[in-house]
Amino acid sequence: MDLLNKFKNSLNANNYKLTRQREDILKIFLENKDRHFNAEELFEEVKKINYDVGLATVYRSLELFCELDIIHQLDFDVSCKRYELNIQGNHHHHLICLECGKIKEFNDRVLEEFENSIQKEHNFKVVNHRIKFYGICKKCEV
Amino acid sequence: MDLLNKFKNSLNANNYKLTRQREDILKIFLENKDRHFNAEELFEEVKKINYDVGLATVYRSLELFCELDIIHQLDFDVSCKRYELNIQGNHHHHLICLECGKIKEFNDRVLEEFENSIQKEHNFKVVNHRIKFYGICKKCEV
DNA sequence: ATCGATGCAAACCTTTTGCATGCAG
DNA sequence: CTGCATGCAAAAGGTTTGCATCGAT
């Protein structure tokens, strides 16, 4: 089942209505899997395909999508909230260039093991982690 | 040299004045090394020892202290900016309990090595990293 | 037809800024 | 004395909310 249908089922199962606006907003996420939208940017994109969407609806949809685990909040940006799609098997972390601000994603395997040692050493049952490496990307290093 | 004097020198070296307010704000940080203040909380604390401090001064001091590398911004909280002291040799990461919200700090050694593999694999020169583990703390697990 | 979802505008909250005054150097 | 730092209040983002209307079921 593709993501759009999965989303539709999820709405249904939770007694939320499938509206034009919600579908359009999700489409923007699906068509830009590598982007990390904030509300304003998402609003700009959605207006291109449906001019009558309000900013408040974008905010309300972002909250709803988080609740349904379709997207999650990111913490790159201290001045606004950013979001990205939750795609199964897409657990990854970010390399953030201090020069150009470009964000590259990378998958990890090593760190999963590391969680176990934390669990033992600190009596802390790890559920999730969020890791950011700041540095200088290939392009900027020249 | 203790941190307070180090701070005074740093101000001086950069042609900033040592004011009563700046000193009082830094004192709050020094007396609460384990806390992660936002502006409002810091403001409340400072007012206890110096009632005439304005909130704008707190914000301006936070910016200045970041510039001087005395403190740094944290990203736990998407709804406000939080800060903690930069203490040499105190590079650490955070275990954040999803139940009670308590934040425990831990030091790492293993991860430093991991940076090297990223550097090779992704052509990305790592300068810094920020890592958060979310989970359930000892107290909440019972 | 019903009740949740929407658009708009107003409210809110955190942070920043302009300006007259204060005070460290 | 001089110019940076401060307090206050206003402004500026970003986000949330109240309310009348719209539209999915």
Side-chain angles (χ1 to χ4, degrees):
Chain A
M1 184 165 50
D2 70 14
L3 285 164
L4 193 56
N5 280 315
K6 198 178 152 192
F7 162 69
K8 288 177 181 174
N9 285 349
S10 180
L11 280 178
N12 219 315
N14 292 278
N15 285 315
Y16 293 118
K17 288 177 182 167
L18 174 62
T19 63
R20 174 84 198 282
Q21 288 88 331
R22 288 174 177 167
E23 193 166 347
D24 285 339
I25 290 168
L26 186 73
K27 269 187 202 160
I28 300 300
F29 271 110
L30 290 172
E31 287 164 10
N32 296 276
K33 294 202 176 86
D34 55 332
R35 287 189 59 180
H36 311 104
F37 288 106
N38 65 17
E40 200 66 46
E41 291 164 0
L42 192 57
F43 182 51
E44 289 308 315
E45 287 301 315
V46 178
K47 274 202 297 195
K48 288 180 190 167
I49 58 173
N50 179 356
Y51 191 77
D52 294 322
V53 175
L55 181 56
T57 298
V58 171
Y59 277 104
R60 284 187 276 235
S61 297
L62 287 170
E63 195 187 347
L64 176 64
F65 291 0
C66 280
E67 185 196 323
L68 297 180
D69 235 19
I70 293 167
I71 60 174
H72 64 262
Q73 255 185 41
L74 298 167
D75 54 22
F76 304 134
D77 207 329
V78 282
S79 58
C80 68
K81 297 175 185 171
R82 294 189 171 276
Y83 300 85
E84 79 180 356
L85 265 185
N86 275 339
I87 301 180
Q88 206 174 15
N90 189 34
H91 185 56
H92 62 266
H93 299 292
H94 296 97
L95 306 177
I96 303 164
C97 181
L98 296 166
E99 281 286 316
C100 64
K102 197 177 170 193
I103 297 165
K104 190 177 171 186
E105 300 179 348
F106 77 99
N107 299 308
D108 67 281
R109 283 149 265 101
V110 181
L111 285 165
E112 313 293 341
E113 309 168 12
F114 190 55
E115 289 187 353
N116 295 327
S117 71
I118 288 172
Q119 195 143 332
K120 278 177 201 155
E121 217 175 310
H122 298 275
N123 261 306
F124 187 91
K125 180 179 281 185
V126 177
V127 176
N128 197 356
H129 56 232
R130 201 144 297 273
I131 299 179
K132 293 177 287 184
F133 288 91
Y134 295 93
I136 308 298
C137 75
K138 198 176 172 177
K139 225 174 180 174
C140 289
E141 208 185 0
V142 189
Chain B
M1 182 165 52
D2 69 14
L3 284 166
L4 192 56
N5 281 315
K6 199 179 151 194
F7 162 68
K8 288 177 182 173
N9 286 349
S10 180
L11 280 180
N12 220 314
N14 292 281
N15 285 317
Y16 293 116
K17 289 177 180 167
L18 174 61
T19 63
R20 174 84 198 283
Q21 288 87 333
R22 287 174 178 169
E23 193 166 348
D24 285 339
I25 291 168
L26 187 73
K27 268 186 201 159
I28 299 300
F29 271 112
L30 291 172
E31 288 165 10
N32 296 279
K33 295 202 177 84
D34 55 332
R35 285 189 60 181
H36 310 105
F37 288 108
N38 65 17
E40 199 65 47
E41 290 164 2
L42 192 57
F43 182 51
E44 288 308 313
E45 287 301 315
V46 178
K47 274 202 298 195
K48 289 180 188 166
I49 58 175
N50 179 356
Y51 192 77
D52 294 322
V53 174
L55 181 56
T57 298
V58 171
Y59 276 104
R60 283 188 275 234
S61 298
L62 286 170
E63 195 187 347
L64 176 64
F65 292 0
C66 280
E67 184 196 323
L68 297 179
D69 234 19
I70 293 166
I71 60 174
H72 65 259
Q73 255 185 41
L74 298 167
D75 55 21
F76 304 135
D77 208 328
V78 282
S79 57
C80 68
K81 296 175 185 173
R82 294 188 171 276
Y83 299 86
E84 78 179 357
L85 266 184
N86 275 339
I87 301 180
Q88 206 174 15
N90 189 34
H91 184 57
H92 62 265
H93 299 290
H94 296 97
L95 306 177
I96 302 164
C97 181
L98 295 166
E99 281 287 317
C100 65
K102 197 176 169 192
I103 297 165
K104 190 179 172 185
E105 299 178 350
F106 78 99
N107 300 307
D108 68 280
R109 284 148 265 99
V110 181
L111 286 166
E112 314 293 341
E113 310 168 13
F114 190 53
E115 288 187 356
N116 296 327
S117 71
I118 288 172
Q119 195 143 332
K120 278 176 204 155
E121 216 175 312
H122 297 277
N123 261 304
F124 188 91
K125 181 181 280 186
V126 177
V127 177
N128 196 356
H129 56 231
R130 201 145 295 275
I131 300 180
K132 293 177 286 182
F133 288 91
Y134 295 93
I136 308 298
C137 75
K138 199 177 171 177
K139 226 174 179 175
C140 289
E141 208 186 0
V142 188

